Amino acid sequence: MDKVLGIIAEYNPFHNGHLYQLNKAKKETNCKYSIAIISGNFTQRGLPSILNKWDKTRLALLGGVDLVIELPLLYSISSAENFADGAIKILNSLNIIDYLSFGVESSNFEVLNLIADVLLDEPCDFKSLLNIELSKGLSFPKARANALNEFLHLNNCSILDFISSPNNILGIEYLKALKKYNSNIYAYPVLRLKSEYNERKINSDIASSTAIREALLNQKYSEIKNVVPENCFDFLMQKITDDEIVLNLSAFEKQILYRLRMMSIEEIADLPDVSEGLEFSLKNASISCNSLSSLIESVKSKRYTYTRIQRILLYVLLNITKHDMVLSKNITPYVRILGFNEKGKFLVSKISSLNPNLKVITSVKKFIDNCDDSDLKFLLEKDICATNIYAMGYDNNKVTSQLDYTNNIVII
């Protein structure tokens, strides 16, 4: 069979940088087919997706992806480690992927691979250094970066430069997961062009998703036109006209504040990523603050970054507990098909024939009715609940709930 490229992405939204990565990776790996694992309606940065998962799927297929599979909620809003782990488990389960492509800010792939080896094995000396850095009150990512820098001592090379960007961090986690599962998938990193992951300004025809979302929020639509494919721009403008777009977490501000105020200290302490008394700070802030921005500002610190606090607020909104995250780490998720083109239709057939016991979802109702695996049903029920809550973020009253049951697979 011809080669298949795997991509893990949020596509929030799909832009020229994503198109460049897809085309470059397919060409240089000589892959005829491409499969994208994408986050659903909420993302790893602790934000809602600006477009729902079916709209994102349509744009990905129009951009050249052949088959789109959803990364279940418990992975898509998790830490970089669990986000990558869940996506790699899905790609591995397909038994059809030859290459995994991901964007990085560093051209020194050997160092990224070396860091992945250390983080996978966690030698005793490294763990000691990490505990020392954590005792200084630093956030986990910062403490880990310092410990790696001290442990590896590479000549003329600062580890801090390699793990200061979210794309490099995710790339390292992908490599770590591939090693962890002894995967036969080859990693093919693609160097990002022109813009950094968190760059907030649009200066060329390639811009970060962050900059595009910022421009959308500030209604600078003319800036966006040059950095996304034409069909994507037209689609975004139509969604704005129809009030079917969710620009930021404040769309759920009242729901989150209400939930926090109603939750007990014990319930807040049971949220993933909450530790060392953060539950008290969150509870107090929820009572004294009437906006999410002021709440986050009052709670964030050296230990708790802005993104981590945002993710915790998503856990509040979506009723995610520490037990839920542990469950996600101990199972291999299902394969939820969101959309495909003609080549993708062939891939679905091939995947099913190669893996007769693989849980492939093409109908949510059929899966819920027939699945005898309670853990997988729970995983899917969280996705369904997240979609129902996401629909509340629209400014119109046309969109109903239960879209996971009523929306069809996107076919291009």
Side-chain angles (χ1 to χ4, degrees), residues 2 30 59 126 147 160 176-177 183 213 244 261 274 318 323 328 330 341 381 411:
D2 291 302
N30 195 31
L59 293 180
F126 167 73
L160 299 178
K176 195 173 83 174
S183 177
R213 292 193 297 270
E244 291 182 12
R261 290 176 182 182
V274 171
L318 302 171
H323 176 267
S328 73
N330 292 330
N341 58 21
E381 285 164 356
I411 302 175

Side-chain angles (χ1 to χ4, degrees), residues 20-32:
Y20 166 80
Q21 178 206 359
L22 174 64
N23 290 336
K24 180 179 176 64
K26 284 174 69 174
K27 180 180 179 181
E28 297 197 2
T29 60
N30 195 31
C31 285
K32 180 179 179 180

Side-chain angles (χ1 to χ4, degrees), residues 8 16 88 101 103 130 141 145 162 165 169 204 207 210 243 273 350 360 379 389 403 405:
I8 303 166
N16 289 348
I88 295 298
S101 177
L130 177 61
F162 286 88
S165 73
I169 292 170
S204 67
T210 301
D243 288 327
D273 288 347
K350 193 70 175 177
V360 179
L379 201 65
I389 291 173
L403 295 179
Y405 288 96

Side-chain angles (χ1 to χ4, degrees), residues 128-159:
S128 296
L129 290 169
L130 177 61
N131 288 331
I132 291 171
E133 294 299 322
L134 286 171
S135 69
K136 298 176 183 177
L138 300 175
S139 67
F140 182 80
K142 181 65 174 176
R144 189 170 70 168
N146 289 346
L148 281 167
N149 204 45
E150 182 70 19
F151 180 78
L152 288 172
H153 273 309
L154 298 180
N155 292 330
N156 302 317
C157 177
S158 171
I159 298 300

Side-chain angles (χ1 to χ4, degrees), residues 13-181:
F14 189 89
H15 56 64
N16 289 348
H18 296 133
L19 186 63
Y20 166 80
Q21 178 206 359
L22 174 64
N23 290 336
K24 180 179 176 64
K26 284 174 69 174
K27 180 180 179 181
E28 297 197 2
T29 60
N30 195 31
C31 285
K32 180 179 179 180
Y33 303 100
S34 58
I35 298 176
I37 310 292
I38 71 166
S39 55
N41 295 322
F42 294 93
T43 70
Q44 203 262 335
R45 288 173 57 82
L47 295 171
S49 176
I50 60 172
L51 296 172
N52 71 44
K53 57 192 177 186
W54 295 279
D55 290 341
K56 290 198 297 184
T57 295
R58 180 169 296 279
L59 293 180
L61 293 172
L62 290 172
V65 174
D66 298 317
L67 173 60
V68 179
I69 295 169
E70 181 178 5
L71 180 64
L73 176 78
L74 292 184
Y75 305 101
S76 70
I77 64 171
S78 188
S79 65
E81 181 179 36
N82 203 38
F83 178 96
D85 200 76
I88 295 298
K89 283 192 287 192
I90 293 174
L91 287 177
N92 271 339
S93 71
L94 303 179
N95 284 317
I96 203 173
I97 304 295
D98 296 286
Y99 291 92
L100 168 66
S101 177
F102 49 89
V104 293
E105 270 87 9
S106 169
S107 60
N108 196 333
F109 182 56
E110 291 75 16
V111 172
L112 294 180
N113 210 27
L114 180 61
I115 295 171
D117 285 333
V118 174
L119 295 182
L120 179 63
D121 296 333
E122 290 201 329
C124 292
D125 289 348
F126 167 73
K127 285 198 270 191
S128 296
L129 290 169
L130 177 61
N131 288 331
I132 291 171
E133 294 299 322
L134 286 171
S135 69
K136 298 176 183 177
L138 300 175
S139 67
F140 182 80
K142 181 65 174 176
R144 189 170 70 168
N146 289 346
L148 281 167
N149 204 45
E150 182 70 19
F151 180 78
L152 288 172
H153 273 309
L154 298 180
N155 292 330
N156 302 317
C157 177
S158 171
I159 298 300
L160 299 178
D161 294 337
F162 286 88
I163 53 178
S164 60
S165 73
N167 274 297
N168 280 356
I169 292 170
L170 272 175
I172 291 166
E173 292 298 343
Y174 295 146
L175 293 171
K176 195 173 83 174
L178 289 173
K179 295 170 188 290
K180 175 181 175 182
Y181 297 112

Side-chain angles (χ1 to χ4, degrees), residues 204-229:
S204 67
D205 59 340
I206 300 286
S208 70
S209 297
T210 301
I212 295 170
R213 292 193 297 270
E214 193 87 5
L216 281 170
L217 187 61
N218 295 311
Q219 300 182 10
K220 296 180 179 179
Y221 304 138
S222 60
E223 293 184 6
I224 300 169
K225 192 168 187 178
N226 296 324
V227 295
V228 299

